[in-house]
């Protein structure tokens, strides 16, 4: 966290990071492997569309 010179920069990073994590964190321990992989690839493809 030393790379952030201002508290606001750190707060902004954490805010965006938490939104991304909420989309990609699929709670692996609740579903089987195949379902997890399908959901993960769907979430990643959505983020790739948004990022480009």
């Amino acid at each position: 966290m030393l790379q952030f010179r201002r508290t606001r920069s750190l707060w902004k990073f954490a805010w965006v990071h938490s939104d991304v994590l909420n989309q990609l964190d699929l709670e692996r321990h609740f579903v089987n492997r195949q379902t997890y992989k399908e959901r993960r690839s769907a979430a990643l493809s959505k983020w790739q569309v948004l990022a480009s």
Side-chain angles (χ1 to χ4, degrees), residues 5-21:
R5 293 179 187 231
R6 290 189 235 158
T7 306
R8 182 162 176 82
S9 300
L10 175 59
W11 180 85
K12 200 173 197 182
F13 172 79
W15 179 63
V16 171
H17 185 266
S18 67
D19 285 346
V20 173
L21 184 62

Side-chain angles (χ1 to χ4, degrees), residues 6 11 25 34 45:
R6 290 189 235 158
W11 180 85
D25 185 22
Q34 185 63 32
S45 65

Side-chain angles (χ1 to χ4, degrees), residues 1-3 5-6 8-11 16 18 22-26 29-30 32 34-35 37-38 40 44-45 47 50-51:
M1 296 298 146
L2 295 176
Q3 65 190 4
R5 293 179 187 231
R6 290 189 235 158
R8 182 162 176 82
S9 300
L10 175 59
W11 180 85
V16 171
S18 67
N22 287 338
Q23 289 293 320
L24 298 178
D25 185 22
L26 301 174
H29 57 284
F30 287 132
N32 63 23
Q34 185 63 32
T35 304
K37 287 174 73 175
E38 290 169 359
R40 175 93 176 159
L44 286 174
S45 65
W47 275 105
L50 291 173

